[in-house]
Amino acid sequence: MNGQVLKNYLKHTNSFIRFLLVGMVNTGVGLSIMLFLMNVLELSYWISTFFGNGMGAVTSFLLNRTFTFRSDIDWRRGVARFFCVILICYSAAYSLGQAIAESLEASVHFSIQQNVAVLIGTIFYTLLNYIGQKYFVFKSNLGTIQEGRN
């Protein structure tokens, strides 16, 4: 019985570790693009975060579907749910990040304030995205997640 508990624990741990690894990759991709667009190309906060998150999202879907959750969920259904979650998370997290950063003292330079907004938004986005992917996008649907391969 203890062996089964350990085996189940390792399955969940491995899946969680894979999620963290994918998160590091897609966050690196998205955040790098955001900061490049905003600081080098001097595009707006919203354009920069939208495109950065878009590229991070594509990376995230592909890796989470195949690597993290090893899901055989139908592509169309998975993509539709995934991007619905992404848009909700994006809107909520980066609006909140911007609101928090704007509440900083006026002594903070505007460009620093926007970078802080991006970082705060990224934290909220990651947390909301994990919840949405785990419980909505890649949720087991009559065996769509193949537990034996986790």
Side-chain angles (χ1 to χ4, degrees), residues 30-91:
L31 193 55
S32 296
I33 291 170
M34 279 183 237
L35 295 174
F36 175 80
L37 292 174
M38 197 166 65
N39 293 307
V40 176
L41 298 183
E42 298 181 357
L43 297 178
S44 76
Y45 173 82
W46 289 108
I47 291 173
S48 300
T49 58
F50 183 81
F51 282 107
N53 264 300
M55 293 307 297
V58 169
T59 303
S60 180
F61 178 79
L62 295 172
L63 292 176
N64 279 320
R65 183 178 185 273
T66 59
F67 178 68
T68 302
F69 300 107
R70 296 181 179 173
S71 176
D72 63 356
I73 191 168
D74 179 67
W75 277 91
R76 289 172 297 215
R77 181 178 177 177
V79 167
R81 285 182 171 204
F82 183 84
F83 282 103
C84 180
V85 166
I86 293 298
L87 288 174
I88 291 168
C89 292
Y90 168 76
S91 299

Side-chain angles (χ1 to χ4, degrees), residues 1 4 17 21 37 56 64 101 111 126 136 139:
M1 184 168 211
Q4 186 62 31
I17 289 170
L21 291 171
L37 292 174
N64 279 320
S111 66
T126 301
F136 182 66
K139 181 180 177 185

Side-chain angles (χ1 to χ4, degrees), residues 11 18 65 68-73 138-150:
K11 280 184 186 179
R18 288 191 303 265
R65 183 178 185 273
T68 302
F69 300 107
R70 296 181 179 173
S71 176
D72 63 356
I73 191 168
F138 297 111
K139 181 180 177 185
S140 179
N141 181 23
L142 300 176
T144 57
I145 298 176
Q146 299 178 4
E147 294 294 336
R149 294 192 308 175
N150 283 339

Side-chain angles (χ1 to χ4, degrees), residues 38-39 101-102 104-117:
M38 197 166 65
N39 293 307
E102 286 176 354
L104 298 173
E105 297 282 330
S107 63
V108 176
H109 190 270
F110 183 70
S111 66
I112 293 171
Q113 191 179 58
Q114 285 196 317
N115 287 318
V116 169

